């Protein structure tokens, strides 16, 4: 088939529009046949069907030019202003039940639902009502219907004031009859009801059938909000002059000492998966990019089967040169968090509310500017609460959680910065505090008592870095390239890395990081 | 050290400001000492130095509170309006040469440069001039200087109308004396001059010393523009209702048949690195996200050592459900490219110009709406040009390049869409053309004659997908999960994947993809 060059089929020119219309007419004729076929496959008796050609299984949409001009209305946009209008809607059939001469169905599109009513009358045959009552749940349907006001608000749908009175019903893609989980079960609210014997769907069943599980309103909202977190992170930093970079995931040497690193076969040799983009962020700083961020996969070969560990997650990383004090960076990161929290509150209120309908979500509290405590203050608070903890010890996870509650009670915030960690518990490249030999210029940040960022001023002086590495008994030959990169002139800098899934989990107050990773990876799961 | 809770050191309160001032004063005193030390390490004779305390090596910046209030001016912001003003600038010393009682230096910040002049006078000692003349290239310096109008424009600097008359010069971070490459060599324009015997830096030397190489004005511009491509891609799609998703890189089965895939050791088992996020994008569509995009690492274990292959690159991927025709998607992708090209033109003109100073860049031409050709038209054009090519053959890389030139000559565009590829050359999941058994609903997109996107309508019907897979002699049991995901109801959809580095390379007309990957990975390179 060689199309003449004198008639390039460029979109939108008059010739092709005319052709399209002609094709559409022909297609309509053809569809009538297909529809007829759809209707007769129902094995109805020979009794004449007054709805013939108005329902059935649509043949596979293969882009043949049919119905290109048809305008569809989104479920969320159905409102009383459309009363009496005939509209086309493409949505999932969430439920459908025939009662005598009527059929009630619920149509779902993302998180929005509307009621569909079919009643046997002079236009709708009982065959058609039966057909619709038999469509499998979760099938995608094209509905032609009249918008009607409801007598009383439909409490079970998000669109409450109107319903659809069906005129045509076509199955675009049918779901199999036996689904591995029911959306209504997966979407059921978590309540405190101790008598609650409601059917719930366990996590592995959800994750094994993630395509279905993701269709719940809460999941639709969670992952839209997650996209929002990334967008806010990037937009806020770009506005502050940061440059986005991309760092390699395949690296030649384990970035943090070799433990917990995945090995990759690399042609005739082997390589590793990066546990952090830190080295590359630092190189970008030494290469004059001044302020950089990167969003990408980070890998940890850690055999931790907890509610908050993944073997692969999305890191929101940033690094920034500063003039004289690392608090220039710490303040920038803190303000970035505050701006993200405010952005979520302002722009994702409906998603937060949707998640709240399934999971009990305590609203996330934060201060502006954020609260910054120093490590010794944390120790004091914990000791006052009866916990015995050393001044140079790192905080245990339970201590961090307790501290989160103490901070919340005292300062009314779910987010805070803990500055000045003991030098002894931080990596060798951490800049020591110049005023206190036991402290360092490093910080963690917490949401609801769980760490979501760890960061520090990095040592930018190669000789001092060597000295600190030796103090940590690190084999200097193995980090020679890292140290060498600071012999090319490097400004003082600091940064940190944020776990995206943790931020979303903790912001929403969810109990498991698998709820905020679309296709989570843990030591026991690499599918789907 | 336990800080009393009654005085939390929250940023910005009056107490801590006072304290900071006090600390700053103390620090100043201390710095004077350090500066003195810096000056005397020059081994000058006992002759009194009138510049003592005004130059030297600054002690390592460790965030001790010194100089926190000092305001710095960016090099690009130096202008005649500041004439006579004393300013602080932190920049790299690009070059420095002492001539008798004077020293001329060039300071560089990102892509901006300014001249610094030091002259022996009643404030500047010859020891100080000598010190500055000896600072190693690429060291980072703090300069206190008076802004002065230049007698004639300084053609060798980006700031031409003013220069800096040095008052204080402090080395913040010194570079080693022997650098593996010189920035001026790495930044030298590529000219057509056949006599050109200018020193160039070869690619491996550049990549081995990427931190230095990235400091050239062209590289500063390339990677800022690359960040722009990602930002435009995401912003344009987000505005069109797309949702950003994150897909796993570690997968349990090779996504495209098992060839060219990297194997990862995964605890006691093994897994693979994803060659494409396609399966996950399609699952997101089946999960009601409607329109999705994802930006992330993509891996190809292909032993191709060419100018345009990487083993790890950044994929800009999108997938979109449509109502009746895959051109709904094709048009969206085409318009996204046009919008990106226009955004680059409008917002990155200065970066494009900077790259053009080193590399000969023909401006990138595009049409709005973009040109769409059908495969048979391409075959005709190639045949007219004397190339023998079959109607059902895929295009070879040289044919694609030639076609790019033919299209450019005929339609005056460097970007076009080639639609309706032969079914035989596309993967099994590609939807066949309903009107032509030899064609398919698939497309590639090209920039300057090189493919930068491949996409198609995917088969969303499980039975037809099974039939097509069998036709391709694919073992159905190995793709059972993929096929099964369409039994849960899935709308018709199409999409495509874009190689980010290729887009930047081809937009700028560069000759090698390693120029647009910050830390490129190929079969022979996994460092730095």
């Amino acid at each position: 088939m060689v199309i003449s060059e004198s008639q390039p089929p460029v979109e939108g020119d008059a010739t092709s529009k005319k052709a399209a219309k002609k094709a559409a007419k022909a297609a309509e004729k053809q569809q009538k046949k297909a529809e007829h076929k759809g209707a007769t496959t129902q094995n109805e008796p020979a009794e004449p069907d007054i709805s013939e050609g108005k329902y059935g299984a649509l043949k596979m949409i293969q882009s043949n030019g049919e119905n290109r001009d048809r305008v569809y209305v989104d479920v969320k946009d159905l409102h009383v202003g459309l009363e009496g209008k005939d509209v086309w809607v493409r949505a999932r059939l969430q439920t459908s039940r025939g009662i005598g001469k009527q059929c009630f169905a619920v149509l779902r599109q993302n998180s929005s639902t509307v009621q569909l009513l079919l009643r046997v009358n002079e236009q709708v045959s009982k065959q058609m009502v039966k057909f619709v009552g038999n469509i499998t749940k979760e099938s995608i349907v094209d509905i032609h219907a009249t918008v009607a006001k409801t007598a009383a608000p439909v409490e079970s749908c998000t669109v409450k004031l109107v319903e659809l009175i069906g005129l045509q019903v076509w199955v675009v893609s049918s779901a199999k009859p036996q689904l591995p989980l029911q959306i209504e079960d997966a979407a059921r609210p978590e309540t405190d009801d101790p008598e609650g014997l409601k059917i719930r769907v366990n996590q592995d069943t959800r994750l094994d059938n993630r395509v279905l599980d993701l269709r719940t309103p809460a999941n639709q909202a969670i992952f839209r909000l997650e996209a929002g977190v990334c967008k806010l992170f990037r937009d806020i930093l770009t506005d502050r002059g940061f440059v986005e970079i991309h760092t390699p995931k395949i690296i030649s040497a384990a970035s943090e000492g070799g433990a917990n690193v995945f090995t990759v076969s690399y042609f005739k040799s082997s390589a590793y998966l990066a546990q952090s983009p830190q080295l590359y962020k630092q190189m970008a700083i030494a290469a004059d990019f001044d302020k950089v961020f990167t969003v990408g996969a980070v890998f940890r070969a850690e055999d931790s089967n907890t509610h908050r560990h993944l073997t692969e997650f999305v890191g929101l990383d940033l690094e920034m040169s500063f003039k004289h004090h690392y608090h220039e960076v710490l303040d920038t990161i803190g303000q970035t968090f505050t701006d993200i929290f405010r952005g979520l509150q302002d722009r994702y209120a409906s998603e937060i509310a949707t998640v709240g309908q399934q999971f009990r979500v305590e609203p996330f509290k934060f201060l502006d500017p954020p609260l910054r405590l120093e490590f010794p203050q944390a120790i004091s608070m914990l000791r006052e609460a009866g916990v015995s903890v050393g001044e140079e010890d790192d905080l245990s996870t339970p201590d961090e959680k307790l501290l989160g509650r103490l901070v919340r009670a005292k300062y009314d915030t779910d987010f805070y910065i803990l500055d000045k960690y003991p030098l002894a518990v931080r990596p060798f490249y951490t800049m020591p505090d110049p005023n206190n030999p036991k402290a360092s210029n490093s910080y963690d940040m917490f949401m609801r008592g769980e760490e979501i960022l760890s960061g520090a001023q990095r040592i930018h002086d190669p000789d001092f870095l060597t000295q600190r590495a030796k103090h940590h008994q690190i084999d200097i030959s193995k980090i020679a390239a890292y140290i060498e990169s600071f012999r090319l002139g490097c400004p003082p800098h600091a940064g940190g890395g944020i776990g995206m899934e943790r931020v979303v989990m903790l912001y929403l107050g969810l109990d498991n990081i698998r709820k905020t990773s679309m296709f989570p990876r843990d030591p026991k799961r690499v599918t789907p």
Side-chain angles (χ1 to χ4, degrees), chain A:
Chain A
M1 185 191 73
V2 177
I3 290 175
S4 146
E5 283 176 38
S6 58
Q7 295 178 346
V10 176
E11 303 279 292
D13 68 325
T15 324
S16 65
K17 266 192 186 158
K18 232 184 241 171
K21 266 197 185 159
K22 205 173 155 191
K25 275 212 169 164
E28 209 171 288
K29 226 171 171 181
Q30 206 180 355
Q31 188 182 327
K32 284 273 154 61
K33 276 189 210 165
E35 287 164 1
H36 181 77
K37 199 177 150 208
T40 53
T41 53
Q42 295 306 307
N43 293 327
E44 288 299 318
E47 184 185 335
D49 184 348
I50 50 160
S51 298
E52 196 179 290
K54 293 196 170 160
Y55 68 98
L58 202 66
K59 67 174 184 187
M60 181 176 71
I61 292 175
Q62 205 175 346
S63 312
N64 62 359
E66 282 171 23
N67 304 321
R68 279 204 72 173
D69 298 330
R70 187 183 289 171
V71 175
Y72 288 79
V73 176
D74 283 344
V75 169
K76 68 171 166 33
D77 296 334
L78 292 168
H79 59 89
V80 287
L82 294 170
E83 196 196 355
K85 293 266 189 333
D86 292 350
V87 296
W88 279 99
V89 169
R90 178 171 294 173
R92 286 196 189 273
L93 191 89
Q94 177 161 292
T95 58
S96 161
R97 87 203 132 91
I99 306 171
K101 293 187 168 183
Q102 293 191 111
C103 173
F104 289 91
V106 173
L107 301 176
R108 192 187 73 240
Q109 202 176 57
N110 311 135
S111 302
S112 304
T113 47
V114 67
Q115 184 164 267
L116 169 71
L117 179 62
L118 249 90
R119 196 178 285 133
V120 175
N121 58 27
E122 53 279 19
Q123 258 131 63
V124 174
S125 66
K126 53 181 183 177
Q127 294 96 318
M128 180 171 173
V129 171
K130 191 178 168 195
F131 173 82
V132 176
N134 285 332
I135 295 173
T136 48
K137 285 182 188 180
E138 293 300 304
S139 293
I140 295 171
V141 289
D142 267 5
I143 304 288
H144 193 218
T146 307
V147 180
K149 264 192 199 165
T150 52
V154 184
E155 289 307 332
S156 58
C157 289
T158 63
V159 175
K160 299 183 193 308
L161 305 182
V162 296
E163 61 186 355
L164 296 174
I165 310 298
L167 305 169
Q168 293 190 43
V169 178
W170 298 98
V171 176
V172 172
S173 172
S174 64
K176 61 183 182 183
Q178 298 293 328
L179 295 175
L181 61 83
Q182 302 302 318
I183 302 294
E184 54 190 318
D185 297 336
R188 195 155 280 151
E190 291 194 337
T191 63
D192 275 343
D193 178 14
E195 308 286 313
L197 292 170
K198 285 180 175 171
I199 296 162
R200 298 250 176 81
V201 184
N202 79 39
Q203 188 162 266
D204 274 326
T205 305
R206 288 177 185 272
L207 295 179
D208 288 343
N209 302 284
R210 193 60 159 162
V211 164
L212 278 174
D213 181 43
L214 287 172
R215 292 181 192 164
T216 63
N219 276 336
Q220 290 286 314
I222 286 170
F223 291 99
R224 282 174 165 81
L225 182 133
E226 187 158 278
V229 168
C230 288
K231 180 172 167 52
L232 286 163
F233 175 79
R234 290 184 303 240
D235 287 355
I236 291 162
L237 293 177
T238 301
D239 284 350
R240 289 172 183 261
F242 280 72
V243 178
E244 181 179 17
I245 62 169
H246 299 277
T247 65
K249 311 307 169 210
I250 296 177
I251 56 173
S252 61
S255 41
E256 287 177 19
N260 301 333
V261 67
F262 290 113
T263 307
V264 186
S265 62
Y266 198 79
F267 300 99
K268 284 169 185 162
S269 179
S270 61
Y272 305 94
L273 292 182
Q275 293 163 290
S276 144
Q278 190 187 320
L279 170 57
Y280 294 94
K281 287 188 303 175
Q282 290 194 262
M283 285 201 274
I285 294 298
D288 288 349
F289 285 93
D290 287 341
K291 301 171 179 184
V292 298
F293 71 85
T294 186
V295 175
V298 170
F299 306 90
R300 303 277 162 92
E302 214 172 323
D303 199 0
S304 299
N305 296 278
T306 76
H307 79 283
R308 64 190 195 122
H309 285 89
L310 293 172
T311 52
E312 177 184 341
F313 62 91
V314 175
L316 308 175
D317 272 89
L318 74 167
E319 200 75 24
M320 176 180 155
S321 68
F322 63 82
K323 293 293 193 284
H324 288 286
H325 202 293
Y326 76 100
H327 279 184
E328 298 166 36
V329 181
L330 180 140
D331 291 345
T332 300
I333 302 176
Q335 198 58 50
T336 299
F337 271 107
T338 308
D339 291 351
I340 290 175
F341 300 148
R342 183 167 299 111
L344 292 176
Q345 208 175 57
D346 293 350
R347 302 189 217 162
Y348 293 85
S350 118
E351 281 79 6
I352 294 166
T354 302
V355 175
Q357 278 157 27
Q358 175 161 4
F359 303 102
R360 290 191 319 139
V361 179
E362 288 267 310
F364 189 84
K365 293 199 163 184
F366 61 95
L367 303 175
D368 186 7
L371 175 67
R372 182 175 64 84
L373 299 176
E374 296 203 352
F375 198 81
Q377 289 174 284
I379 299 298
S380 301
M381 287 175 79
L382 286 170
R383 285 181 179 166
E384 271 173 39
V387 178
S388 130
V389 48
E391 272 173 35
E392 286 192 73
D393 291 350
D394 206 351
L395 299 177
S396 69
T397 304
D399 287 352
E400 287 179 347
K401 287 229 175 196
L402 171 59
L403 189 59
R405 288 194 296 275
L406 297 173
V407 169
R408 174 91 199 262
K410 183 164 179 176
Y411 299 98
D412 200 31
T413 179
D414 286 313
F415 175 76
Y416 72 99
I417 301 168
L418 191 54
D419 194 15
K420 296 271 158 231
Y421 268 67
L423 182 59
V425 303
R426 306 297 272 200
F428 74 95
Y429 49 72
T430 309
M431 184 64 87
D433 182 334
N435 305 315
N436 175 356
K438 291 187 173 175
S440 69
N441 293 349
S442 72
Y443 41 85
D444 276 8
M445 303 195 186
F446 294 86
M447 287 172 67
R448 301 197 203 250
E450 295 195 39
E451 181 244 307
I452 38 104
L453 174 137
S454 197
Q457 175 179 357
R458 332 288 187 182
I459 298 173
H460 63 285
D461 181 280
D463 297 330
F464 188 53
L465 187 59
T466 307
Q467 181 190 322
R468 291 298 305 162
K470 281 182 180 162
H471 177 84
H472 277 254
Q473 304 186 307
I474 287 167
D475 181 351
I476 300 294
S477 70
K478 289 200 173 153
I479 55 164
Y482 179 66
I483 294 176
E484 194 60 20
S485 67
F486 299 107
R487 296 199 193 279
L488 306 170
C490 184
H493 59 285
I498 304 167
M500 178 194 73
E501 294 87 349
R502 279 196 192 177
V503 169
V504 178
M505 169 178 80
L506 294 165
Y507 181 81
L508 290 174
L510 301 175
D511 62 357
N512 196 304
I513 199 156
R514 290 160 189 80
K515 288 197 168 82
T516 58
S517 173
M518 194 171 261
F519 301 102
R521 295 293 180 256
D522 65 33
K524 300 197 171 82
R525 178 176 291 280
V526 283
T527 55

